[in-house]
Amino acid sequence: MITRRMLIAAAGLAASALAGAPTFAQETVKVGLIVPMTGPFASTGRQVEAGARTYMAMHGDTVAGKKIELILRDDAGTADQTRRIAQELVVNDGVSVLAGFGLTPLALAVAPVIGQAKIPAIITSAATSSITEQSDYYVRSSFTLPQAAVPVATWATENDIKRVVTLVSDYGPGIDAETWFTKEFTAKGGEIVEAVRVPLQNPDFAPYLQRVRDADPDAIFVFLPSGVGSLFMKQFADRGLADAGIKLIATGDVTDDDILNDMGKPALGAITGQHYSTAHDSPENKAYVEAYKAAYPDMRPNFMSVGGYDAMHLVYAALEKTGGDATGDALIEAMKGLSWTSPRGPVSIDPETREIIQNIYMREVKEVDGELYNVEFATYEAVKDPAKTSDQ
Ligand code: DHB
């Protein structure tokens, strides 16, 4: 016999089950994407957004029974805005994951927020190695500068380049690039003639390039953040460095696919190392470029876009692994050790460091069918972030 008391007890149980419902009972999983959509680094934001939306266009917006909602916010490249927006997204919107962060200081700004909220922050763009050591909730879908710079140095020593001037933006990723290029290059017998650091904001390369010309190295090794390369390339040509026989070697940020066509002839022959080229020859990349161009006909997918694309893959694959449990600790644990084939090639998340392990390709800027591309010619396979492995 069902008594009144039993009914009341049952109702109470149901109510308390609802009140204590864990996050995975939600139907929608919200992903907060914070990138610069305005200001000098707006191209990074546009590319990351385009990559993330292309992923959703290709894979649908439902995974493990949950609907995925992408919430885009512009931080205009200012760290205090990044942190404030992150807080709002957590408190007001109830996001399960944060992603984006166009520059190193912007990624660092959210460490306290994700530590407190215990939710993952997927770094789609920033590339200073040490960021992921500032919180256990960071995971990276971009790359690190040591990861790209070491193969460029190895390649240089194997290709008759003996004396190099380094030129980098004077902040985290530039210093990482300079440090790790130099370490590998000098260990293999190369000589650094001069190390130049230029300001991140509004750099004028002309005076530095004159000094480089006077030093007459075999090559100049360059790191500049995405978007800044065209000004550099123009001044490199104007100062006659290429004509003087000084080779340009760089991380792929300098010959960014987004702006490479506008650089024109001076970019031809530049040798760079990086994890993604629009011209990467694989079925996965062909499908990606096609889907991307269908939605964004006036843009070309660059390495920032693939950081956005793979960030969404991380969210989807982690949710599949947890069976739809979107609590932060479950998601970050699920992301560790994931491996998949990205448009950039085979990748995985190092479970120890939460860094992406990926191929670094050596590329040369060439003209193909009337357009400039970073054409890959050699591959360093499954490169880990060398700044976090003890054998370097
Ligand atoms: C960073 C920014 C970039 O635009 C880039 O190409 C590499 C690194 C950064 O700030 O970490």
Side-chain angles (χ1 to χ4, degrees), residues 41 44 102-105 125-128 131 143 145 171 173 223-227 253 274 303-304:
F41 296 99
T44 295
L103 295 160
T104 290
S125 312
T128 301
I131 300 170
F143 72 113
L145 261 307
Y171 78 121
F223 163 79
L224 298 167
S226 180
D253 316 68
Q274 217 194 22
F303 66 103
M304 291 296 182

Side-chain angles (χ1 to χ4, degrees), residues 142-152 274-275 346-348 350 355-361 379-387 389 392:
S142 55
F143 72 113
T144 74
L145 261 307
Q147 197 176 34
V150 167
V152 177
Q274 217 194 22
H275 55 283
V347 298
S348 64
D350 187 332
E355 296 287 5
I356 191 160
I357 302 173
Q358 57 192 339
N359 293 346
I360 298 295
Y361 306 92
T379 305
Y380 293 87
E381 280 178 14
V383 180
K384 287 188 173 191
D385 176 15
T389 51
Q392 287 279 335

